[in-house]
Amino acid sequence: MTSVAPSLHSDRLLRRLKNSPFLPLAVLHQIQAQILTNASLHNSTSLLSEFLSSCARSRNLPAACLLLKNLRSPIPSTLNHVLRSHAESFSSQQILVLYREMVRQKIPQDRSIFTVMLRACAHEASSVGESLHCQILKLGFVSDLFLMTGLLDSYAKRGCLGPAEKLFDEMVEKDVVACNAMIAALSGNGRTEDARKLFEGMPKKSSASWNSMITCYCKQGNVALAREIFDQNPVKDVVSWNAMIDGYCKIGQLRVAHQLFERMGHARNSVTWNTMMSGYLHQREFGTAISLFREMQMENVKPTEVTMVSLLSACGHLGALNTGRWIHAYICNHHLNIDVVLGNSLIDMYFKCGNIETALEVFRGMPSKNVFCWNSVIAGFGMHGHGQKAIEVFLEMDTTSGIRPDEITFVGLLSACGHSGLIFEGKRYFSQMLGLYGIVPQIEHYGCMVDLLGRAGLLQEALHFIETMTIKPNCVVWGSLLRACKIHKDTKTSEHVTRRLLELDPNDGGNYVFLSNIYALAKRWEDVDTCRAIMIEKGVHKVPGCSSVEVNNMVHEFVVGDTSHPQFEKINIFLLEIERELRNLGYRPGTGSVLHDIEDEEKENAVLYHSERIAIAFGLINTRKMEPIRVVKNLRVCSDCHEAIKFIAKLFKREIIVRDRSRFHHFRDGSCSCQDYW
DNA sequence: GTAGGGTTAG
């Protein structure tokens, strides 16, 4: 230890803590060790306070607790200070830990600390609120209006309307805040009428009262009534506008929402932007959501964790790995809190963008995980064709995580089995769902099973499965079987299935495409003509194949038949060269793809020009050697291209990762991770 | 006290 005077030493540490808000764990530990081994530092209240604040900012609860536990004499003001000023930084569980420490050290508890703790509990809908309730009763704080309101709110946020109403009735004095909390509680439970009654009866209304009523009607789906309240509200603030914008977003009226958004001008805050972004996200306008973020940055509005969650979701859908990575770096550089939601968004984004390793790194690094996180990993492995890994993670979740699998878990698990041809395992987990886990199979689960059986060529079993289902099969279920029929070239069953599909949904033009192709295969030309006529009459909408590839942080999109890309000529010549080389290697185009291709319309174009090939050729021309090429396609990759890409990967010694409509294909050295089972 | 966030069969 250096022989610096204690007071100087203390000052130096204090400066260090104050100057950098986010100290790495190692540094915090170092400082902690110094405090604990140096009696004079130990007694410096300001230093201890600053240290605990620093822990709170870095969300480093263990460091804070360890220090508190090792103090030779408790310093009440320190803990009080930390709890009060940094309660938002800790989770309710962590606050409870600190609180217990406070009780253990016999530090006097005041009302204000409970208010802070209850707020944290309400925010997280945590059941810790109940332990606090008991403590509040014990300490005799029941007459405190603020405390009771906080308690009411913490019950309300968890959907415990009963206890909330009881508390409200027992309150002698009910101020605006208490009434507002009650309105929110009632509206959260669909009791719109009661909420309105309470609202009307209030002698004085605050802005929050009006806003609560706006949200109340929005939640009910009655945006028109919400708008009436909004227009009548004499004290409109940013919350009123945000609530109204969200109301329009939730019913899909993005245009109206955007008009209000524009009208707000510079009154917009981060919540406004987040609301608008999530609105576009739910309309599947992922690109718009991302460009909104760029605008948000230009207006210098600080993005929050919520912003990042929406952005990452957009990246996942688009397969924009580089943008996703950039956001991840932003989150780290700006010390945003990677909570379960944000962590899950990262996991999901990395899986959907084809980066399994980083997805797992994030997953393993999360201090606490919920069912969403586990589900994302199980589904993630599934979409990459790692069925066995998905099962391993499921078993780990089931046996050691303490988190119960839910219906989504099984959707992921069953689809993972289906993608990997794990017939036996899929059947077993499906049959265990109800008995072992108490989860009633939904249409999605039946869909997975039909797909699993069908892919494996067990067509009659799949048909029997559908016909004996306890719920009515939908188009997806029949559609899965139809696809299976095509893969396994069963024209007879195809026809039967297609007829069932048309009965179910006579207006879906896509079904006629199937039927006409089936007739064509059977050379029943008259039936083909009838089908074509119906298709023309119904105006069948054909989705063009479209693939994108990220090169130098730019996404390049190629739509089949579109020759407008500046490098089109170059790509074209390159594709022809590739084609020649591939033939030398033994590749023969057009073999066996006829029945595989679900979007048959696309087949009519020369296979050479399928969008994924154009994207890959472009990637090969414009990226460095060794760099993997990542392609995202809106349709399924056809089997002919699949075959060709295997050869291309070998020829150019490149890893080519293609995400198609339903899964990932990792091409390397002449083979694909799907092992031709897809 | 009032506004914004994640996983879902083909």
Side-chain angles (χ1 to χ4, degrees):
Chain A
M1 175 102 13
T2 45
S3 56
V4 187
S7 65
L8 268 178
H9 197 167
S10 165
D11 285 350
R12 211 173 59 193
L13 288 180
L14 205 56
R15 252 202 320 275
R16 185 147 190 214
L17 287 167
K18 275 186 178 158
N19 286 345
S20 41
F22 296 97
L23 284 170
L25 183 66
V27 179
L28 276 178
H29 277 166
Q30 214 182 357
I31 296 175
Q32 180 177 54
Q34 290 186 41
I35 295 173
L36 289 176
T37 50
N38 188 325
S40 63
L41 294 180
H42 198 145
N43 290 329
S44 158
T45 311
S46 56
L47 179 61
L48 294 179
S49 251
E50 198 51 47
F51 180 79
L52 290 172
S53 297
S54 194
C55 293
R57 279 196 301 269
S58 314
R59 298 175 190 89
N60 193 334
L61 184 77
C65 282
L66 196 68
L67 181 86
L68 288 168
K69 283 199 178 112
N70 289 300
L71 286 178
R72 270 162 248 176
S73 55
I75 301 173
S77 61
T78 312
L79 193 47
N80 262 333
H81 168 81
V82 169
L83 267 176
R84 219 169 288 153
S85 55
H86 290 288
E88 279 88 14
S89 305
F90 289 132
S91 71
S92 66
Q93 284 296 334
Q94 292 174 321
I95 285 174
L96 194 66
V97 172
L98 280 176
Y99 176 69
R100 290 208 179 110
E101 192 55 32
M102 208 167 141
V103 174
R104 198 184 65 83
Q105 295 193 25
K106 299 195 176 61
I107 296 171
Q109 303 150 52
D110 67 3
R111 289 153 202 240
S112 63
I113 287 207
F114 280 100
T115 317
V116 169
M117 292 196 285
L118 283 169
R119 205 186 302 149
C121 292
H123 181 68
E124 288 173 46
S126 154
S127 58
V128 168
E130 257 154 65
S131 348
L132 295 178
H133 192 174
C134 301
Q135 199 59 26
I136 289 167
L137 292 179
K138 251 192 231 160
L139 293 166
F141 291 155
V142 275
S143 59
D144 189 304
L145 178 65
F146 285 157
L147 267 187
M148 287 304 106
T149 308
L151 204 49
L152 188 163
D153 198 44
S154 83
Y155 276 117
K157 288 279 168 23
R158 287 172 49 221
C160 304
L161 192 59
E165 271 188 299
K166 190 164 169 280
L167 272 170
F168 187 68
D169 288 339
E170 285 167 3
M171 283 166 75
V172 195
E173 180 196 359
K174 297 177 174 75
D175 68 351
V176 193
V177 179
C179 289
N180 291 346
M182 201 57 225
I183 291 176
L186 290 166
S187 102
N189 285 274
R191 303 244 312 257
T192 314
E193 283 311 308
D194 293 324
R196 180 79 191 227
K197 249 182 248 162
L198 182 56
F199 174 75
E200 298 291 354
M202 284 169 74
K204 248 187 164 174
K205 297 179 181 78
S206 70
S207 173
S209 326
W210 289 91
N211 296 339
S212 296
M213 266 334 283
I214 293 173
T215 354
C216 182
Y217 283 122
C218 284
K219 270 189 195 139
Q220 203 199 22
N222 199 337
V223 181
L225 257 176
R227 183 61 187 262
E228 258 178 45
I229 303 276
F230 175 80
D231 290 332
Q232 287 166 18
N233 181 0
V235 279
K236 278 196 258 302
D237 57 12
V238 64
V239 178
S240 329
W241 286 84
N242 291 346
M244 207 56 239
I245 289 174
D246 188 52
Y248 284 116
C249 283
K250 291 275 149 72
I251 57 164
Q253 294 210 25
L254 269 284
R255 272 210 7 248
V256 187
H258 206 111
Q259 275 163 15
L260 288 180
F261 178 78
E262 291 291 336
R263 269 175 59 192
M264 282 179 78
H266 290 287
R268 292 179 289 226
N269 63 8
S270 67
V271 177
T272 324
W273 288 91
N274 295 344
T275 307
M276 214 52 232
M277 280 175 63
S278 102
Y280 280 114
L281 207 58
H282 288 115
Q283 293 294 312
R284 306 189 64 84
E285 291 196 35
F286 309 117
T288 318
I290 292 176
S291 37
L292 218 53
F293 170 67
R294 302 202 203 288
E295 269 183 64
M296 178 180 182
Q297 281 191 304
M298 301 227 277
E299 293 208 359
N300 285 321
V301 180
K302 225 176 159 187
T304 67
E305 283 83 358
V306 180
T307 320
M308 296 309 165
V309 168
S310 295
L311 270 177
L312 287 169
S313 171
C315 292
H317 284 285
L318 294 171
L321 178 62
N322 285 329
T323 312
R325 278 185 182 140
W326 184 88
I327 294 163
H328 192 179
Y330 185 99
I331 290 167
C332 296
N333 293 336
H334 291 76
H335 301 284
L336 291 180
N337 182 19
I338 301 186
D339 59 10
V340 276
V341 182
L342 188 49
N344 179 54
S345 301
L346 283 167
I347 296 169
D348 182 55
M349 181 277 291
Y350 278 120
F351 268 122
K352 288 204 176 119
C353 292
N355 196 330
I356 305 174
E357 294 75 25
T358 318
L360 291 177
E361 243 168 61
V362 175
F363 177 71
R364 296 292 172 204
M366 283 172 72
S368 67
K369 308 173 179 81
N370 66 6
V371 68
F372 281 78
C373 308
W374 289 95
N375 290 351
S376 292
V377 176
I378 292 168
F381 272 131
M383 70 177 87
H384 286 277
H386 300 307
Q388 206 56 56
K389 288 260 172 52
I391 291 176
E392 279 165 28
V393 173
F394 170 75
L395 292 175
E396 185 188 340
M397 173 191 190
D398 194 33
T399 53
T400 62
S401 77
I403 290 164
R404 286 175 63 87
D406 65 6
E407 55 271 29
I408 314 276
T409 315
F410 282 95
V411 173
L413 183 63
L414 296 176
S415 108
C417 290
H419 282 301
S420 301
L422 300 170
I423 323 295
F424 171 76
E425 290 82 351
K427 283 183 183 176
R428 186 178 60 199
Y429 290 120
F430 181 77
S431 69
Q432 286 180 354
M433 277 179 67
L434 187 60
L436 270 178
Y437 300 93
I439 294 164
V440 183
Q442 301 296 307
I443 193 75
E444 288 85 357
H445 303 108
Y446 286 101
C448 289
M449 289 312 285
V450 170
D451 185 52
L452 179 134
L453 296 169
R455 269 177 214 269
L458 304 167
L459 299 175
Q460 291 317 306
E461 192 176 341
L463 187 61
H464 179 73
F465 185 85
I466 295 180
E467 280 163 348
T468 54
M469 271 167 61
T470 48
I471 43 179
K472 193 173 177 265
N474 63 7
C475 336
V476 178
V477 171
W478 284 112
S480 301
L481 182 54
L482 183 58
R483 217 187 84 76
C485 288
K486 298 194 100 189
I487 294 173
H488 297 285
K489 303 181 178 141
D490 185 333
T491 320
K492 196 164 157 272
T493 316
S494 282
E495 196 180 347
H496 170 69
V497 174
T498 310
R499 294 211 166 276
R500 300 303 301 267
L501 252 164
L502 288 173
E503 277 168 31
L504 211 64
D505 189 3
N507 289 320
D508 182 352
N511 294 331
Y512 294 94
V513 179
F514 282 117
L515 195 58
S516 96
N517 286 327
I518 291 158
Y519 288 142
L521 282 170
K523 301 194 167 42
R524 285 159 62 175
W525 305 116
E526 268 176 39
D527 292 321
V528 172
D529 288 343
T530 320
C531 256
R532 295 271 162 174
I534 299 170
M535 279 160 62
I536 291 164
E537 190 193 309
K538 302 233 177 221
V540 173
H541 179 65
K542 185 187 105 184
V543 181
C546 169
S547 299
S548 57
V549 60
E550 248 183 336
V551 168
N552 299 328
N553 288 334
M554 282 277 291
V555 177
H556 296 260
E557 208 176 66
F558 299 92
V559 182
V560 68
D562 178 18
T563 55
S564 66
H565 195 277
Q567 289 192 33
F568 183 76
E569 274 305 310
K570 201 171 164 190
I571 296 168
N572 216 6
I573 294 165
F574 191 49
L575 273 172
L576 287 169
E577 268 172 40
I578 295 176
E579 181 78 4
R580 249 199 322 274
E581 295 279 346
L582 293 194
R583 280 174 191 272
N584 292 338
L585 285 174
Y587 161 76
R588 292 288 171 271
T591 46
S593 70
V594 185
L595 284 157
H596 255 106
D597 195 355
I598 199 159
E599 306 289 342
D600 280 58
E601 290 288 304
E602 224 189 26
K603 181 183 76 211
E604 291 172 7
N605 301 296
V607 161
L608 198 60
Y609 294 107
H610 272 181
S611 58
E612 57 269 48
R613 291 219 212 172
I614 305 172
I616 289 170
F618 178 77
L620 283 171
I621 296 171
N622 294 288
T623 53
R624 283 178 313 230
K625 281 182 183 167
M626 310 299 290
E627 197 179 328
I629 295 174
R630 298 167 189 276
V631 172
V632 179
K633 193 187 178 192
N634 64 337
L635 307 173
R636 280 167 178 282
V637 51
C638 85
S639 65
D640 192 63
C641 286
H642 191 266
E643 204 54 31
I645 300 168
K646 286 198 276 185
F647 280 102
I648 295 173
K650 192 184 173 84
L651 180 64
F652 291 89
K653 296 191 176 59
R654 281 280 190 125
E655 189 180 359
I656 301 173
I657 302 159
V658 179
R659 183 182 98 175
D660 75 7
R661 201 190 156 87
S662 77
R663 59 166 298 155
F664 272 93
H665 301 266
H666 295 255
F667 296 93
R668 187 182 280 171
D669 195 30
S671 66
C672 177
S673 62
C674 75
Q675 315 209 334
D676 301 339
Y677 188 87
W678 92 99

